[in-house]
Amino acid sequence: MTRGPKEHLGERQAPRRRRRVVWPLGSRLGRLIIVLNLLGLAILIGGALVLNEFRAGLIQTRLESLELEGEVIAKVIDEYTTVGEPVPALEADAAANVVDVLSIPSSQRARLFDASGRLLADSYVVADRVDQAPLPPALKPGQHEDTDLAKAREQRLETARKALTAEVQAAMRGEVVRNVRVAEDGKHVVSVSIPIRHVQAVLGVLTLQATGVEQIVAAQRRALLPFILIAIGVTLISSLLLTQLIAEPVLRLARAADRVRLQHARAIALPDLARRDDELGDLTRSLEDMTRAIAQRMQAIERFAADVAHELRNPMTSIRSAVETLELVEKPDARARLLRILALDISRMDRLITDISNASRLDAELAREQPSPLDLRPLLAQVAEFYEATRREGEVSVRFVVPAAADPVHVNGREGPLGQVLRNLIDNARSFGQAGSEVRINLIRGRGEALIFIDDDGPGIPADNLETVFQRFYTSRPKGAAFGGNSGLGLAIARQIIEAHGGRIWAENRLDAEGGVSGARFCIGLPLVGWAGASPHV
C-alpha cells in the first residue's frame, strides 16, 4: 500500500523527562527504612539526654554542697580573723590557722586569698599533701626530657593558673562563682569561689574545689553502655529485617530474570512477592506483566512468521508451476496466459513483502514517536483531499463530511500511523465500491472519545466475518477483483495501531430502510485528550 505524504514527516525526538525527587515518606519501603534507621539513633540520643541531665544534676548538687560549706567557712574566717577599723582586713596567720583546724576532706582542696589576690592558705600544704600526677618516664644518662612533653605540661599548668586567677578575680567583685574547670593535674574539678565579706568590703576569697567529675563522667559512660548495646541490637535486627524484606526479594527477582534469559522461560512468576503492597510488589507485578507481554509478543511473532511462510509459499508454488509448464507450452495464447499468471503472482509477492515489511516495522515506529495532542478534523480533511487530488476517472471518490460543530477534536496520537490507518480503511472500502460510488468519512465527538466512521456502498461484510476481517492475511474479495491486489494485512495493521493508541476499531454493516445491507462501515474510537474515564462501547 502506498504511503501518503503525511507518513514521511520527520521524526520528532522524544523530550527528555526530568528526574523527580521522590519524598521517601510517600513510599512504604522508604518509611520502613527511615523508621528502622532512626530507632537505634533515637535510643542513643534519648539515653545520652537522660544521662546528661543526670550528670548535670550530680554536678549541680556538688556545687551547691561546696557553696554551702564555703559560706560557713567564710563566715567563720570573717568572724574570727578580721582586724582593723575603720578599714578591715584579714589577719593572715589567724585565717591560715582557721583553714588548718578545719577538717577538709581529702577529695577537696581549700585555698584562701587576701584582697590583693595573695595566697594565704592551702589545705594541701597544711595537710602536707601535694598535687598527685603520674611522673614522666625516667631519663637515661645523657637523655633530655622531650621538649614537646615539657611544653604541654607547662601549657596545662598555665591554663589551670589562668582559670583559677579568673575565678578568684570574679569573686573579688563580690560574686559567688561556680565553675567546672581543669586543675593543675589536668583533671576536671568542680570549684566554688566565695567572697569573704565584712559588711560591704571584700576581705578575701575562699576557693573550694572537689574532684570526682571524671568519676561522674565515667559513671555516665557506664550507664550509657546498655543504651549502646540496645541500639546495636536494634540496628542488627533492622538490618536483618531489611535484608529479608528488600535484599533477598531483589535477589530472587534477579535470579528469576536470569532464568528467563538463560532457560528461555516465557515469564517471571513470583506470586508471593506480587501480593506485597509496597514498591517491591509493584516491581514484581510490573516484571510479570512485562515478561508476559514479551511472551505474547514472541508468540505473535512466531505466528506471524508462520503466516508469512504460508502466504509466500502459495505464490511461489504458483510461480514454480507456471515456470515448469511454460517450457512445455508451445501455443502463443497459452504462453501469454502463463506469463500473465507469473506477472500477477510476482505482483502479489511484491505486495505481500511490502505489507509484511510495514507490519514488522510498526512496533519500532510507534515506539520512536511519542504521541501528542492531535486535532482529527484537519487530518481527516487532508486525507480526503489527497484521495480526491489523485483520483482517476471512474474511481470511487472520498468525501469528508464536515461536522456541524466547529470545535477541534483532540486526541493523543501520532499523525503518521493514524494517517496510515485511515488510508488502509479507505483503500479497503474503495476496493469494494462500484465505479462512481463514494466513501464517506464522518467524525463525531462522543462521550470521552472521538468516533470516526468510514462508510462505503459495497456489498457489506458477512455477519460471521465482522471480526475475522481484522486477522492477518484474511482476504475475501468480490468476484472480478484484481488478483494479488490485497495482502490481507491492511486491517490487521490498522487494529494494531489503534490499540497502541488506547482506542478500538470494529466493523459493522449499514442497513437501509427495509433492513437490507447497504454497505459496510468501519468504526474507530480514540480517547479524547484529558478524558480519564473508560471509552464507552457503542
Side-chain angles (χ1 to χ4, degrees):
M1 189 173 297
T2 57
R3 295 164 63 96
K6 292 297 178 182
E7 273 187 277
H8 298 283
L9 294 175
E11 297 177 355
R12 290 173 293 178
Q13 185 176 3
R16 293 181 61 185
R17 296 183 179 179
R18 297 181 60 185
R19 297 183 63 182
R20 294 168 47 190
V21 178
V22 180
W23 181 241
L25 293 181
S27 163
R28 291 179 178 270
L29 289 179
R31 291 195 297 268
L32 177 63
I33 292 172
I34 290 175
V35 170
L36 292 179
N37 286 336
L38 290 181
L39 185 57
L41 184 61
I43 292 174
L44 279 179
I45 294 175
L49 291 176
V50 171
L51 293 178
N52 187 57
E53 292 293 331
F54 176 68
R55 182 182 69 173
L58 289 178
I59 293 176
Q60 182 65 24
T61 302
R62 195 66 180 274
L63 288 171
E64 290 175 356
S65 65
L66 285 178
E67 182 180 356
L68 180 60
E69 183 179 350
E71 288 177 350
V72 173
I73 297 174
K75 287 181 180 180
V76 171
I77 293 173
D78 176 43
E79 185 69 26
Y80 292 102
T81 64
T82 302
V83 296
E85 290 294 343
V87 179
L90 291 178
E91 203 281 315
D93 293 336
N97 289 332
V98 171
V99 175
D100 185 18
V101 299
L102 291 175
S103 178
I104 305 297
S106 60
S107 61
Q108 296 182 8
R109 183 176 184 176
R111 279 179 280 200
L112 179 62
F113 300 89
D114 62 8
S116 63
R118 181 171 60 92
L119 180 64
L120 300 179
D122 189 338
S123 63
Y124 272 24
V125 177
V126 172
D128 295 329
R129 295 194 301 267
V130 296
D131 293 340
Q132 296 181 359
L135 292 174
L139 300 176
K140 296 180 181 180
Q143 185 180 9
H144 299 284
E145 184 179 5
D146 190 348
T147 305
D148 292 338
L149 293 177
K151 288 183 178 179
R153 183 165 62 252
E154 289 297 330
Q155 185 177 4
R156 186 181 68 230
L157 292 174
E158 183 65 23
T159 302
R161 293 190 192 101
K162 288 182 179 179
L164 177 61
T165 301
E167 186 176 325
V168 171
Q169 290 176 353
M172 287 292 185
R173 296 191 292 268
E175 303 173 1
V176 177
V177 180
R178 299 177 178 181
N179 195 11
V180 177
R181 56 182 174 81
V182 179
E184 289 80 356
D185 58 358
K187 296 181 180 180
H188 287 81
V189 295
V190 289
S191 177
V192 175
S193 292
I194 300 173
I196 300 174
R197 294 176 179 272
H198 185 80
V199 188
Q200 295 296 327
V202 177
L203 307 181
V205 173
L206 175 67
T207 298
L208 289 178
Q209 71 180 44
T211 59
V213 176
E214 272 73 13
Q215 290 80 358
I216 295 175
V217 173
Q220 183 190 25
R221 290 173 178 171
R222 288 192 298 271
L224 188 60
L225 184 60
F227 292 95
I228 295 175
L229 295 177
I230 294 174
I232 292 174
V234 170
T235 302
L236 290 176
I237 293 173
S238 65
S239 299
L240 292 175
L241 185 61
L242 290 175
T243 300
Q244 294 291 330
L245 292 178
I246 300 177
E248 289 203 2
V250 170
L251 182 60
R252 289 181 59 194
L253 283 174
R255 289 174 177 170
D258 289 338
R259 286 195 299 270
V260 172
R261 178 175 59 90
L262 298 176
Q263 300 177 9
H264 304 289
R266 289 299 179 96
I268 291 177
L270 296 172
D272 55 332
L273 294 181
R275 288 194 294 267
R276 288 179 52 166
D277 191 17
D278 56 19
E279 287 77 8
L280 279 176
D282 295 339
L283 175 61
T284 303
R285 290 188 292 271
S286 297
L287 287 176
E288 289 181 348
D289 294 341
M290 181 189 69
T291 53
R292 192 177 299 113
I294 292 175
Q296 293 173 356
R297 182 167 297 181
M298 291 172 61
Q299 293 174 358
I301 292 173
E302 292 171 355
R303 291 194 300 268
F304 182 71
D307 292 342
V308 167
H310 175 74
E311 291 297 321
L312 290 177
R313 187 178 293 112
N314 291 335
M316 288 295 296
T317 302
S318 177
I319 291 173
R320 183 185 299 111
S321 300
V323 170
E324 293 174 353
T325 307
L326 187 62
E327 298 177 353
L328 304 177
V329 175
E330 298 180 354
K331 294 182 179 181
D333 294 342
R335 291 177 66 87
R337 284 196 300 271
L338 288 175
L339 291 175
R340 284 196 299 272
I341 293 174
L342 283 173
L344 292 174
D345 285 333
I346 292 173
S347 175
R348 182 183 178 190
M349 285 191 64
D350 180 68
R351 180 75 175 187
L352 278 171
I353 292 172
T354 300
D355 288 347
I356 289 169
S357 176
N358 293 336
S360 62
R361 292 198 310 266
L362 184 59
D363 286 338
E365 292 178 354
L366 292 176
R368 280 197 300 266
E369 184 181 356
Q370 294 296 323
S372 59
L374 174 67
D375 188 2
L376 291 178
R377 288 171 55 96
L379 176 62
L380 297 177
Q382 290 170 7
V383 170
E385 291 174 0
F386 172 77
Y387 276 97
E388 283 303 297
T390 58
R391 184 173 68 91
R392 297 177 181 177
E393 185 69 25
E395 290 183 343
V396 178
S397 63
V398 178
R399 179 170 61 92
F400 173 52
V401 180
V402 180
D407 297 334
V409 182
H410 285 107
V411 298
N412 276 322
R414 306 166 181 85
E415 186 174 4
L418 289 180
Q420 181 180 356
V421 170
L422 295 173
R423 287 189 297 275
N424 289 356
L425 296 180
I426 292 172
D427 289 341
N428 181 79
R430 294 180 72 195
S431 66
F432 286 96
Q434 300 295 326
S437 62
E438 183 183 61
V439 173
R440 294 166 296 281
I441 306 174
N442 291 273
L443 175 63
I444 299 176
R445 188 185 184 93
R447 182 177 177 272
E449 66 177 349
L451 297 174
I452 303 173
F453 300 113
I454 298 177
D455 298 342
D456 63 43
D457 298 326
I461 305 172
D464 296 338
N465 295 336
L466 290 175
E467 181 61 27
T468 57
V469 293
F470 294 100
Q471 296 178 0
R472 285 194 300 266
F473 301 111
Y474 174 84
T475 56
S476 178
R477 313 305 301 172
K479 293 182 179 180
F483 178 77
N486 298 88
S487 64
L489 286 174
L491 297 182
I493 291 174
R495 168 164 282 185
Q496 186 177 355
I497 294 174
I498 293 300
E499 290 180 350
H501 284 77
R504 57 199 181 95
I505 183 172
W506 70 98
E508 58 187 32
N509 287 315
R510 296 188 302 108
L511 303 179
D512 55 18
E514 289 77 19
V517 176
S518 60
R521 168 179 291 171
F522 285 90
C523 313
I524 300 172
L526 292 171
L528 293 170
V529 170
W531 176 256
S535 298
H537 292 274
V538 295

